[in-house]
Amino acid sequence: MIISNQEFCENGLHYTIRSAVVQDAQELSELRLQIDGETENLDREKGEAFIDSSGFEGIIKTDSEKERNLFLVAETRNQIVGFARCEGVYLRRFAHKVEFGVGVLKDFWGHSIGKNLLKESIKWADANSIKKMTLNVLEYNEKAVYLYKKLGFEVEGVLKNDKMLSDGKYYNTIVMGRFKI
């Protein structure tokens, strides 16, 4: 699915949200690696489950062809600074839902990039008769949990001691969903 350019200006930063294109693959590979090293809020440590340029090319091609997938990027001054994906499941019993994930460079936090990537994803989901969006978030990431709730997500459950972070402690993951039935 293709989303045309959507322009935003938040806290003095002008940026565009658009569908990822194959030419973004190398930059996305580098971006994901950098984001993974900037926060422990995501699933991976820097370098884990690395996706190279050709891997991203394949993901972008697949996402642009499948009606239940969406791959968005946020771009400012010819630099991609964030991305979001919705990935659908093609088993009939799960065809009504997609899983949402997002990442934004730390230098660009505070400009509502993640929020606007999510809002654009929600618009796309609603326009494409997707009945459920799911996501996982670390319980201690209160700012993200607040945002998700504000945009219509609700807590579906808690995965206790789900992730061990660099401090050697285990943290709970919240499973959230947004329903449009």
Side-chain angles (χ1 to χ4, degrees):
M1 183 60 73
I2 303 297
I3 303 293
S4 59
N5 293 358
Q6 300 295 316
E7 303 293 329
F8 298 89
C9 184
E10 301 275 353
N11 298 322
L13 181 71
H14 296 274
Y15 58 91
T16 302
I17 292 178
R18 60 170 173 80
S19 286
V21 294
V22 172
Q23 293 81 1
D24 296 327
Q26 181 61 43
E27 191 173 357
L28 282 165
S29 178
E30 295 165 6
L31 176 74
R32 183 174 179 260
L33 184 65
Q34 183 177 345
I35 290 172
D36 286 349
E38 292 181 338
T39 181
E40 290 193 288
N41 293 334
L42 303 176
D43 289 343
R44 302 163 304 273
E45 291 184 11
K46 187 173 185 172
E48 287 186 320
F50 177 75
I51 302 174
D52 64 11
S53 180
S54 64
F56 268 104
E57 286 177 16
I59 292 168
I60 293 165
K61 285 177 185 174
T62 297
D63 288 355
S64 65
E65 294 168 0
K66 296 205 175 194
E67 62 184 41
R68 288 283 200 238
N69 287 18
L70 178 69
F71 196 152
L72 298 176
V73 296
E75 184 176 47
T76 184
R77 293 170 282 205
N78 296 317
Q79 176 190 4
I80 297 175
V81 297
F83 63 90
R85 278 191 77 219
C86 289
E87 185 173 14
V89 176
Y90 292 88
L91 298 174
R92 286 184 128 153
R93 294 177 180 170
F94 298 105
H96 65 287
K97 68 179 183 174
V98 296
E99 184 171 353
F100 173 81
V102 64
V104 176
L105 285 173
K106 195 169 192 173
D107 285 348
F108 293 89
W109 291 3
H111 297 283
S112 299
I113 294 171
K115 177 176 83 174
N116 286 322
L117 284 164
L118 177 55
K119 282 181 165 184
E120 291 300 311
S121 297
I122 289 169
K123 279 196 246 180
W124 165 82
D126 289 351
N128 286 280
S129 302
I130 292 168
K131 304 298 182 193
K132 182 176 181 180
M133 289 181 75
T134 64
L135 59 85
N136 293 340
V137 61
L138 282 170
E139 186 175 54
Y140 79 79
N141 191 349
E142 294 172 0
K143 188 175 178 182
V145 173
Y146 175 79
L147 171 65
Y148 297 141
K149 286 181 178 179
K150 186 175 169 182
L151 293 178
F153 285 79
E154 60 186 72
V155 174
E156 292 191 77
V158 177
L159 303 174
K160 296 185 184 275
N161 296 326
D162 190 48
K163 292 181 186 164
M164 183 178 68
L165 301 183
S166 63
D167 62 5
K169 295 179 184 174
Y170 291 94
Y171 292 85
N172 297 341
T173 298
I174 297 176
V175 178
M176 300 184 81
R178 179 184 176 274
F179 306 91
K180 186 176 189 228
I181 296 179

